[in-house]
Amino acid sequence: MEKLKKVLHPHRRSRQDPPRQDPPNHFQHWAVAFIICNFNVDVGPEIELVYPPNIQFSTSDLSAICFNSFPERQDTETEEDLAFHFTISNNSPDISLNSPCSPYGSANNFFGCCVFRQEFDDTMKRSFNQRTLVLISNHEFTSFFFHLLKQITSSGVISDPAALEAAYSQMLAWPVPSLGRHELPFMGSTITLEVAPHPAFPLQGLASSSPLISDGKPVSIYAYEPPGSWDNIMPFMPCLSDVDIVYEKLLLCESIIVLARSPQLCSETVSALVDLIRPIPYAGEVKPYMTMQSEFRSIGIDGGTPRPFIIGITNPFLLKRVLGATENNERGRPHVLYLHNVDGHVPIKRHHSLRHHMPNALDMPGGIDSHPSTKRFVKSDRTLIQSLDSILRADSQTKNEIGSLVRRHYAELTAQYLAPVNRYLATNVSPNFIAPGGNYRYANFSEADFLLSLSKHGSSVKFRGQSPMQRHKARDGLYEGFCRSPNFYSWLDMKLSLEKEASAGLLGSNSAAGVS
């Protein structure tokens, strides 16, 4: 009877009872929920379990999570888990996304990290089970969340409610996410998580203090490091020089579509592309994996406002749909990056015979030019290309050098590219002032004055062209395009906000100089 009274009147205490202090519930500041999705042969993807069970997802969001959690095309002989991620809009009015301190996470998006598993079962119609464990959060800590999911599923069971309850219980007591280092106990180990002041800090995770997986030692992960590695991506590139092409398009905030057979490969590539131009934040929509059932208004298709985007897809017919929709809008054709198995070694340059035909491995419907001509500004680094070619031709054990080589090269190139802009802002632009609305801005930035400064002081970036005049024209063309792109303003906003926080002592030992 006494127990029943406490259940019916949880706030009624006897005078002798000490005040009850419930443990902190910080799970909601890290993640929204764990979800197990099952592929039902008769009805398609369906929700098997949501944990904690009281999360009020809308029907449309649950449907979106289901369809984005499974590969659209899947090899029935695949035995290894697939790890991929996606982004969808939050259309659940009963779920409020907030965090008490920086980083605050997204107020409008759900970021989903998945581990997909296919297991043989001769009692099933298709002879195998397909399940996915998903972690939904408003923080884009993709590499960190993948590590949690892999620990949860390491026992060999992907749909284990007891494992989810254990993970949830430990995350309840974690401190809320904040800038700096966290030592987080999780399922028998301690994870060291480093949270940078901004997602666009360069080279996150490249010089980790300890390997990602170590025997009994703390695991060190950077919150915004890309889950994808160029070690795995480069062997699928159409040619080595294509990295220079996508780099320039990323600088100018142009649209890119990544097409691959695997959702893991396409989503990892999208994360690696966004990382390529750090510390410049890509200002368009980023969707690491999309399916035919995805919502396309956010990227300006099916009624949405046209805006730049980077998306990853595995369905060639979806590519045709997206390209057809963008042609109806008054904007440039998205660049399509085809990732496929190359016969032999990855070529250094595109071969003319490949310009008009899609690789057969992707089963692409006809009528689409697979390699349209594109304007180039920056001169390719021959030393980098030769190094990549040598590594790819060598023993596979040396291929883990590719990731650090590519990331360091383009981080240095971006720093060289931004140097003239930083010099101009430091010497020719009025100090920060507060514009109407309370936003910090640089006063009286002039594109024409900047280009005059650029002409006077130059840039250490090497541009294409046979003559000095051609190289200067390429240089001015790339800087003009950048200053007029949304990326320029996203970078300025980041720079100003970090300078403001640094001056207020909110960044600790970090400084805004690290992203300039």
Side-chain angles (χ1 to χ4, degrees):
M1 181 64 68
E2 187 65 26
K3 289 184 179 179
L4 180 61
K5 288 180 180 178
K6 289 186 177 180
V7 172
L8 293 176
H9 306 286
H11 300 294
R12 180 179 296 175
R13 298 188 181 95
S14 65
R15 292 182 179 180
Q16 292 77 20
D17 290 340
R20 185 179 62 201
Q21 293 185 351
D22 294 329
N25 183 352
H26 291 161
F27 178 85
Q28 61 185 330
H29 299 307
W30 288 93
V32 179
F34 293 104
I35 298 178
I36 297 174
C37 300
N38 176 42
F39 190 88
N40 187 315
V41 177
D42 296 319
V43 300
E46 60 181 2
I47 298 292
E48 185 175 293
L49 176 69
V50 176
Y51 199 92
N54 58 341
I55 304 300
Q56 299 299 312
F57 285 104
S58 67
T59 302
S60 62
D61 280 349
L62 286 175
S63 177
I65 292 168
C66 269
F67 280 106
N68 282 278
S69 299
F70 288 93
E72 275 199 303
R73 46 196 298 172
Q74 174 62 14
D75 186 351
T76 57
E77 297 181 358
T78 298
E79 296 181 357
E80 295 183 355
D81 290 350
L82 290 178
F84 55 96
H85 57 294
F86 60 85
T87 302
I88 61 173
S89 300
N90 174 16
N91 295 307
S92 299
D94 294 328
I95 297 180
S96 176
L97 303 178
N98 58 69
S99 190
C101 56
S102 181
Y104 300 103
S106 172
N108 304 310
N109 291 326
F110 289 138
F111 301 106
C113 294
C114 310
V115 173
F116 166 82
R117 182 172 296 172
Q118 183 171 263
E119 296 175 311
F120 178 76
D121 185 349
D122 58 5
T123 65
M124 304 292 293
K125 287 183 180 180
R126 303 171 94 187
S127 299
F128 48 81
N129 284 311
Q130 291 181 328
R131 280 188 174 86
T132 302
L133 174 59
V134 191
L135 188 155
I136 299 294
S137 175
N138 69 319
H139 291 287
E140 201 170 9
F141 299 166
T142 312
S143 292
F144 173 63
F145 290 144
F146 275 144
H147 184 80
L148 301 187
L149 292 177
K150 288 176 182 177
Q151 279 199 245
I152 293 171
T153 58
S154 62
S155 65
V157 180
I158 200 167
S159 55
D160 184 359
L164 298 185
E165 183 177 1
Y168 173 79
S169 297
Q170 287 197 292
M171 294 173 71
L172 281 177
W174 286 358
V176 298
S178 60
L179 303 185
R181 174 172 294 185
H182 297 262
E183 301 287 342
L184 305 172
F186 190 73
M187 304 190 77
S189 65
T190 299
I191 305 172
T192 301
L193 177 67
E194 304 275 359
V195 182
H198 194 279
F201 262 54
L203 299 180
Q204 294 180 60
L206 188 60
S208 180
S209 58
S210 63
L212 186 61
I213 299 177
S214 56
D215 297 333
K217 298 180 181 178
V219 175
S220 182
I221 300 174
Y222 288 77
Y224 303 112
E225 67 179 279
S229 170
W230 287 100
D231 304 335
N232 301 324
I233 298 167
M234 197 63 71
F236 294 92
M237 291 289 291
C239 62
L240 299 180
S241 61
D242 264 25
V243 186
D244 287 320
I245 295 174
V246 294
Y247 173 78
E248 292 185 26
K249 293 187 175 296
L250 289 163
L251 275 183
L252 302 179
C253 200
E254 296 182 14
S255 296
I256 297 176
I257 303 172
V258 177
L259 175 64
R261 276 190 170 273
S262 161
Q264 177 169 322
L265 181 58
C266 72
S267 65
E268 287 185 351
T269 303
V270 169
S271 71
L273 292 179
V274 173
D275 170 75
L276 209 60
I277 59 169
R278 285 173 171 169
I280 299 173
Y282 182 80
E285 286 288 323
V286 180
K287 302 288 186 179
Y289 176 54
M290 302 187 80
T291 69
M292 274 290 193
Q293 290 77 21
S294 296
E295 184 268 313
F296 287 87
R297 290 178 58 85
S298 59
I299 63 170
I301 296 175
D302 297 341
T305 302
R307 59 173 309 181
F309 58 80
I310 305 175
I311 65 173
I313 60 175
T314 60
N315 190 329
F317 295 96
L318 181 53
L319 170 64
K320 197 168 187 178
R321 173 185 168 190
V322 174
L323 290 178
T326 54
E327 288 174 359
N328 296 331
N329 296 321
E330 295 182 358
R331 57 182 176 181
R333 179 187 188 271
H335 177 79
V336 183
L337 179 61
Y338 303 97
L339 301 177
H340 60 97
N341 289 310
V342 180
D343 294 331
H345 296 293
V346 180
I348 291 177
K349 296 182 179 180
R350 294 176 180 172
H351 195 277
H352 292 293
S353 63
L354 296 177
R355 285 188 60 84
H356 302 291
H357 301 285
M358 171 68 67
N360 292 331
L362 291 171
D363 305 323
M364 184 62 192
I368 294 180
D369 184 359
S370 61
H371 291 298
S373 58
T374 185
K375 191 172 183 179
R376 294 277 306 280
F377 298 96
V378 179
K379 185 178 181 180
S380 294
D381 188 304
R382 187 172 299 178
T383 302
L384 172 70
I385 297 295
Q386 290 176 345
S387 297
L388 293 175
D389 185 54
S390 298
I391 294 172
L392 287 169
R393 291 175 181 272
D395 190 338
S396 60
Q397 293 181 353
T398 65
K399 289 183 180 179
N400 57 8
E401 301 173 10
I402 293 177
S404 60
L405 185 65
V406 170
R407 294 185 70 198
R408 288 190 185 279
H409 171 79
Y410 287 100
E412 292 172 3
L413 181 61
T414 305
Q416 292 172 355
Y417 179 76
L418 289 174
V421 189
N422 279 314
R423 179 179 57 229
Y424 175 78
L425 292 175
T427 58
N428 295 278
V429 179
S430 300
N432 299 350
F433 78 104
I434 299 180
N439 297 320
Y440 274 67
R441 298 187 61 184
Y442 276 102
N444 49 319
F445 175 84
S446 167
E447 179 187 312
D449 288 345
F450 164 68
L451 292 176
L452 286 175
S453 172
L454 180 66
S455 178
K456 178 180 179 181
H457 298 286
S459 171
S460 58
V461 176
K462 295 180 180 179
F463 291 92
R464 292 166 61 91
Q466 298 296 322
S467 66
M469 183 174 292
Q470 290 176 334
R471 291 191 288 272
H472 292 166
K473 185 177 180 181
R475 178 197 65 194
D476 292 351
L478 187 59
Y479 278 100
E480 280 180 2
F482 176 65
C483 290
R484 297 173 185 177
S485 76
N487 276 3
F488 177 68
Y489 298 100
S490 70
W491 173 72
L492 266 186
D493 287 345
M494 178 195 70
K495 184 177 174 67
L496 286 168
S497 65
L498 290 177
E499 287 174 351
K500 179 182 176 183
E501 291 174 16
S503 65
L506 300 178
L507 300 185
S509 60
N510 299 301
S511 72
V515 297
S516 62

